[in-house]
Amino acid sequence: MREFVLNHASMAPGNQYTAIDWLMDIARGMGTLVRDQVVHNTLRTDMHVHEVYCSTELTLQDAMLGLLQRGAREEYLFLMDLFGRIRTLDDVSTEIRDRFLLCESKILPSPDGDPLVLCAITNGVMVGFPTEPVWDKDQITVTFKELLDNEDIEEVSETIDNLARSSHARPVCDRHHARVRGRWFRNGAALWSTRGEVFPNLIFGPDVEGHLAALDAGLLGTVANKLATLNESARSWRDESGSALSWRTKVTDESDSVKNDDRLREARRFRSNDGTRRLFLWHARFGSSGRIHLRFDTGKREIEIGYVGHHLLLK
């Protein structure tokens, strides 16, 4: 899984109140990326919190304490845990470290440009403050020089994901999930094995693994896109406190004729993630005759998928 990389060069607001506001905002965005399993709860930087200055006299550590004083306890604890898992820019695989040492940023000189280069070659997610227009985007283009094996110097440009506001988190998530979905289409087993990474807001019953394995490979892309829409419905339901479940695609309940027929109703019962067998009467459509059967728990705000396949019996 990917990692956060601290863009310390961006962290220079005009006053301490701005720094604390921005820190609170990006902590929420980082939390979204961690919950959606886009990024590990780890951070790469060669600077400690007391070494990063957000203004002339305010360090990043001071700003974190400012969160606590404002009552933002959840954001404070998240960042404390994150900075407790710091990894340095050099603490990478030998292959990445060797390449990193042969690269030099054209945007900023070392050491300020080093995090940008590392983020580009490791597919990390840059995190910092929106102090300048160049940083206030959910994507940044990083240009750097790389010394090749034949001693030629090549100019390389890479577009990296960037988080400087909480609003940047959703586009980063969407791009990440779309890229992962593109790797699934070869077979159902691959889709099943990456379900937690790309559908982090859905629960899957164990029977679905076999359903996906039996599905025509040509339908996997359509199924993945439908599951992505259901995942977005689950995310919104979970994150928007007090809101009702709003489907992003057509989801319908079974008819009374199916519910009142013991044989047809029981054909909609599948193993749940909790080990019991439950009814999955609601369903979304895919393709010409495909169905994704699901159930939802209003108390826990959870959506569980129980069946993916051809239309179940109606008579």
Side-chain angles (χ1 to χ4, degrees):
M1 199 178 292
R2 302 163 73 185
E3 297 175 313
F4 290 116
V5 182
L6 182 66
N7 181 11
H8 62 261
S10 72
M11 309 188 88
N15 61 71
Q16 69 184 58
Y17 303 105
T18 305
I20 296 171
D21 287 342
W22 280 343
L23 187 60
M24 185 184 305
D25 190 46
I26 64 170
R28 292 168 179 167
M30 294 168 77
T32 296
L33 296 184
V34 172
R35 284 194 306 273
D36 279 13
Q37 300 184 45
V38 174
V39 185
H40 271 303
N41 192 16
T42 55
L43 179 73
R44 288 201 179 273
T45 176
D46 277 338
M47 303 183 72
H48 295 287
V49 289
H50 63 274
E51 297 175 323
V52 180
Y53 277 84
C54 301
S55 66
T56 306
E57 299 180 352
L58 187 81
T59 67
L60 186 54
Q61 185 175 48
D62 297 330
M64 289 170 61
L65 290 174
L67 293 180
L68 193 60
Q69 292 167 357
R70 288 194 185 186
R73 179 176 174 81
E74 184 177 344
E75 290 82 0
Y76 169 78
L77 291 176
F78 172 81
L79 291 172
M80 284 295 293
D81 181 57
L82 183 73
F83 279 94
R85 302 167 185 261
I86 283 180
R87 297 180 181 178
T88 68
L89 303 189
D90 293 328
D91 181 23
V92 293
S93 68
T94 301
E95 180 182 0
I96 291 175
R97 184 174 63 251
D98 289 347
R99 185 184 178 194
F100 176 61
L101 293 174
L102 296 175
C103 297
E104 179 182 350
S105 171
K106 291 193 67 178
I107 300 175
L108 294 170
S110 181
D112 290 345
D114 293 345
L116 298 171
V117 173
L118 183 72
C119 196
I121 66 177
T122 61
N123 191 32
V125 175
M126 185 64 66
V127 60
F129 285 172
T131 47
E132 301 288 344
V134 67
W135 308 131
D136 195 4
K137 302 175 182 178
D138 58 68
Q139 284 187 308
I140 295 174
T141 299
V142 177
T143 304
F144 55 95
K145 295 182 291 185
E146 181 173 4
L147 181 62
L148 305 180
D149 291 340
N150 62 2
E151 298 189 354
D152 286 346
I153 295 177
E154 181 179 47
E155 183 171 302
V156 181
S157 290
E158 296 285 354
T159 300
I160 63 174
D161 286 327
N162 182 64
L163 181 83
R165 298 184 187 274
S166 61
S167 59
H168 294 160
R170 184 48 45 199
V172 172
C173 286
D174 291 345
R175 284 193 296 270
H176 175 85
H177 294 157
R179 285 193 293 268
V180 176
R181 283 200 300 274
R183 303 199 301 263
W184 299 342
F185 301 162
R186 63 186 185 277
N187 57 55
L191 195 158
W192 173 259
S193 68
T194 56
R195 69 194 183 283
E197 183 178 359
V198 189
F199 308 125
N201 305 295
L202 295 177
I203 298 171
F204 289 82
D207 290 335
V208 178
E209 180 177 11
H211 302 158
L212 293 174
L215 204 61
D216 187 308
L219 291 172
L220 290 175
T222 302
V223 169
N225 289 331
K226 183 63 68 171
L227 288 172
T229 306
L230 293 171
N231 180 76
E232 182 61 20
S233 300
R235 183 201 64 78
S236 298
W237 192 30
R238 182 201 66 200
D239 290 351
E240 296 171 9
S241 179
S243 65
L245 173 54
S246 177
W247 298 110
R248 304 298 178 91
T249 187
K250 186 175 182 179
V251 174
T252 55
D253 194 5
E254 286 289 11
S255 65
D256 289 340
S257 61
V258 169
K259 292 179 182 179
N260 295 330
D261 186 303
D262 291 346
R263 183 176 65 92
L264 298 181
R265 185 182 64 252
E266 291 306 306
R268 274 82 175 159
R269 191 183 297 276
F270 302 98
R271 287 186 297 164
S272 171
N273 187 62
D274 64 10
T276 64
R277 291 184 61 82
R278 294 178 178 270
L279 288 171
F280 290 80
L281 296 173
W282 290 76
H283 56 271
R285 296 167 173 79
F286 68 88
S288 60
S289 62
R291 295 293 186 270
I292 297 175
H293 278 260
L294 56 92
R295 53 179 291 273
F296 52 91
D297 186 321
T298 55
K300 296 180 180 179
R301 292 188 170 234
E302 292 177 343
I303 298 175
E304 181 178 19
I305 308 300
Y307 171 81
V308 179
H310 295 295
H311 200 308
L312 295 171
L313 293 174
L314 288 176
K315 61 181 181 180

